[in-house]
Amino acid sequence: MAWAKSALANVADGAVFLADELEVAQGRQNRTWGIRPGQLLITIALKPENLATISPEDLPIRLNQLNMALALGILGPIKEYGVGLKWPNDFVIAQEQDNQKIYKKISGMLVHLVWHEEKPIGIVLGFGMNVNTIFTPEDELFDIATSLLACSQAGTPIDMRTLYKKLLASLDMYYTQWKQLKFTDIYTEWRKNQVYLGRQLTIHQKDGTVLSGTMTQVMPNGDLMIKTDQKIQIIPFYTVEDVKAS
């Protein structure tokens, strides 16, 4: 993502930065994404023409809507494996373990707005995906992470190049929808694929606040609505440190 940001002024809208290997990868809230064999690691630079014309007041919600569109673009080719969206920016699949259903992470994404002289000049999307990665029961991440290979009925390694092409085509389709201002369509589909709707959650926020309650809704601006002790609270899209279902 740092490479993409440094090259942003000289690349076209939709330029792809693909790495076979990385020494380190960033996750949400400056966490480190664990790099393992069998992962797909992609960064894309977006430079929509309408970015400069979006008012400062509208910019946050338009970026949240873009975040939804890009999440759907990533989800499209992997939904057949049973993958759904975990608010705000993770891709998970339900698995039975110790006689209970748990959600394990397949992929995560980051969306960064890039500024120059107090003006937004582009967006950098980065995501990592466990495609043919193997997690054994002895692995420290076994209880929280899995891969497409582990969820595949065929049980054979997935062709990375084919998946890569499908992901780019899907991302392009939803990015085009966003540029065409089809925000209602994007939100409706994004909401439908949220796996934690109706579930009891524990939410850790960046300011240290911890909330527990039922996820009742995701709003058109991307925020979460949670019911705690008969009180409805709104959790903004980018204030969350971690979300866990109980």
Side-chain angles (χ1 to χ4, degrees):
M1 294 185 74
W3 176 25
K5 290 178 183 178
S6 68
L8 192 60
N10 301 312
V11 299
D13 182 28
V16 179
F17 297 75
L18 182 65
D20 292 322
E21 294 182 8
L22 291 176
E23 293 181 357
V24 66
Q26 181 184 351
R28 290 188 70 248
Q29 308 304 324
N30 292 317
R31 300 187 187 101
T32 299
W33 170 274
I35 303 169
R36 295 173 178 239
Q39 291 179 335
L40 190 58
L41 305 165
I42 298 176
T43 294
I44 301 175
L46 303 174
K47 300 169 69 175
E49 293 181 358
N50 66 335
L51 186 60
T53 64
I54 300 174
S55 69
E57 294 78 15
D58 288 342
L59 187 59
I61 190 170
R62 294 293 176 255
L63 290 177
N64 287 356
Q65 290 162 337
L66 176 60
N67 195 102
M68 297 178 200
L70 297 175
L72 290 171
I74 295 170
L75 179 65
I78 61 175
K79 191 175 178 180
E80 64 181 271
Y81 295 93
V83 181
L85 300 177
K86 172 193 169 186
W87 188 89
N89 271 346
D90 284 341
F91 303 80
V92 297
I93 188 167
Q95 290 188 343
E96 292 292 332
Q97 188 169 309
D98 298 329
N99 296 319
Q100 62 178 342
K101 183 168 73 171
I102 62 172
Y103 286 94
K104 293 188 177 184
K105 187 171 180 176
I106 289 277
S107 180
M109 61 178 274
L110 293 173
V111 178
H112 286 175
L113 180 63
V114 182
W115 296 80
H116 179 67
E117 296 181 352
E118 299 184 356
K119 293 183 180 180
I121 60 170
I123 300 107
V124 175
L125 163 70
F127 65 97
M129 183 179 295
N130 299 322
V131 181
N132 292 318
T133 315
I134 297 174
F135 297 92
T136 64
E138 295 75 29
D139 196 303
E140 61 180 353
L141 297 179
F142 179 76
D143 289 335
I144 60 173
T146 187
S147 66
L148 296 181
L149 173 61
C151 303
S152 171
Q153 293 183 353
T156 55
I158 296 162
D159 184 79
M160 300 276 272
R161 178 171 290 275
T162 299
L163 177 59
Y164 162 70
K165 290 180 178 180
K166 288 180 179 179
L167 284 164
L168 293 187
S170 181
L171 281 162
D172 182 64
M173 181 181 72
Y174 284 100
Y175 179 44
T176 299
Q177 283 191 16
W178 179 81
K179 290 191 289 185
Q180 293 173 344
L181 311 182
K182 296 182 179 179
F183 303 134
T184 300
D185 292 344
I186 291 169
Y187 162 70
T188 300
E189 186 174 353
W190 179 76
R191 180 192 181 282
K192 185 175 69 174
N193 284 285
Q194 296 293 325
V195 299
Y196 280 1
L197 272 175
R199 295 201 62 183
Q200 185 74 15
L201 302 182
T202 299
I203 299 175
H204 297 259
Q205 299 191 89
K206 293 179 183 179
D207 63 2
T209 304
V210 179
L211 298 172
S212 294
T214 303
M215 179 179 179
T216 60
Q217 186 61 277
V218 282
M219 302 174 68
N221 67 349
D223 292 350
L224 172 74
M225 185 180 294
I226 186 172
K227 184 177 181 180
T228 62
D229 298 327
Q230 307 303 315
K231 180 181 179 182
I232 299 295
Q233 291 189 242
I234 305 298
I235 310 298
F237 203 45
Y238 291 113
T239 64
V240 175
E241 180 79 22
D242 192 24
V243 178
K244 293 182 180 179
S246 54

